[in-house]
Amino acid sequence: MNPADINPPITVLVVDDSVSVRKALERILAPQGYLIRMADSAESALESLEPLPDLVLADILMPGMSGLELTRIMSDRGLNVPVMLMSGIVDEVTQRDAQTAGARGVLRKPFTPAELLPAIEPQVLAALDARAQRDGAAPAATPPTPVTPTPVTPTPAAAAPATPLAAQPAPAPVQPAPFQPAPTFTPAPPAHSGPLAGLNAVPGVLGATLYDADGERQDQFGPDLPESFAMYARFMVTAAATASHHLNRGDLGSILLSYAGQTLLLSPHRDGQLVTLLASSDAAPAAQRWQAAQHN
């Protein structure tokens, strides 16, 4: 199925409070021929359902109304629109809640184009059927199954007979040089003048990355994190902040996370998130004191 051949184009309503996620989905889907509409909350999505989109991609965890609640409301209103939910954590409970709410499935964030496009194709076909039912036309035809060509195995050329080699005397064994241990020294931390200036000098801090509210990297030193980690960091910090709000436990401080045998400290920082790589969890209090000093 080629979405670019569908007229009028398939309209996808993307619902996520993260600007970076909305932009990422637009960058993936728009070149394929999809028409993208966006909403930064479930409440805003409910106000922008006219004209009705063909497909909804909604984050589960958002401030205010969740994606699950949005799906239930659309189902209660009898809106024949497929909904795919998105979440950084997809387990049996999440899948069961999504199915109960009426969603067609749950996409695990973050995802690549190669993961997203095949995942939504069955929902696009369902969207075409729903559009046809609303218009009183016949359901969309299922695309033909592609025929896989039979591979042709070429006939291997006859191998040339091996030419015997004259026997060569074995080389004399090489004696290894005596092991010389490298001198041990502790380098001074490199100078850093960005927003994270001074954090690299905190004992036990090996590196740090600062993201803004849109998930864009603002400053960094030390080892690089994967490009997709911005979405993970934002999800985990937002999830903890939302939970602390609903549980009346006050504002979120920070999260310690074990990642690839390393310790990461995830914290809200101004309007974004700060991810600090630590030598061990014992270094967390010193990093938190540096961060508190930046807010004072």
Side-chain angles (χ1 to χ4, degrees), residues 53-276:
D54 295 297
L55 175 65
V56 174
L57 298 178
D59 190 21
I60 288 183
L61 187 61
M62 295 181 285
M65 184 185 298
S66 70
L68 291 167
E69 295 173 282
L70 170 64
T71 307
R72 292 191 192 97
I73 291 175
M74 293 182 62
S75 179
D76 291 342
R77 292 183 180 180
L79 301 178
N80 189 10
V81 177
V83 178
M84 286 285 288
L85 295 173
M86 302 178 292
S87 176
I89 300 176
V90 180
D91 53 18
E92 292 184 4
V93 175
T94 303
Q95 293 173 336
R96 183 175 64 247
D97 290 345
Q99 183 178 16
T100 302
R104 298 298 184 102
V106 184
L107 293 168
R108 186 188 303 275
K109 296 177 9 180
F111 36 71
T112 64
E115 296 167 337
L116 173 65
L117 296 174
I120 68 170
E121 184 168 337
Q123 315 316 322
V124 172
L125 295 175
L128 291 175
D129 286 343
R131 178 195 287 183
Q133 292 173 17
R134 291 194 298 269
D135 296 342
T142 303
T145 303
V147 178
T148 304
T150 303
V152 178
T153 305
T155 303
T163 302
L165 298 176
Q168 300 292 330
V174 178
Q175 296 298 327
F179 175 75
Q180 297 292 337
T184 302
F185 64 95
T186 302
H192 193 81
S193 59
L196 299 179
L199 180 57
N200 63 324
V202 173
V205 172
L206 305 179
T209 303
L210 177 63
Y211 302 102
D212 65 11
D214 297 333
E216 300 294 333
R217 185 176 301 182
Q218 297 300 295
D219 196 11
Q220 183 263 341
F221 67 85
D224 289 331
L225 290 173
E227 184 177 351
S228 60
F229 200 86
M231 191 179 300
Y232 280 120
R234 187 183 186 284
F235 170 79
M236 286 182 281
V237 170
T238 302
T242 303
S244 64
H245 171 73
H246 287 291
L247 296 173
N248 296 319
R249 295 296 184 183
D251 295 334
L252 167 71
S254 57
I255 305 169
L256 272 177
L257 174 70
S258 177
Y259 170 75
Q262 300 173 324
T263 300
L264 294 181
L265 179 68
L266 282 67
S267 311
H269 190 78
R270 305 191 188 283
D271 294 329
Q273 299 84 39
L274 174 61
V275 181
T276 308

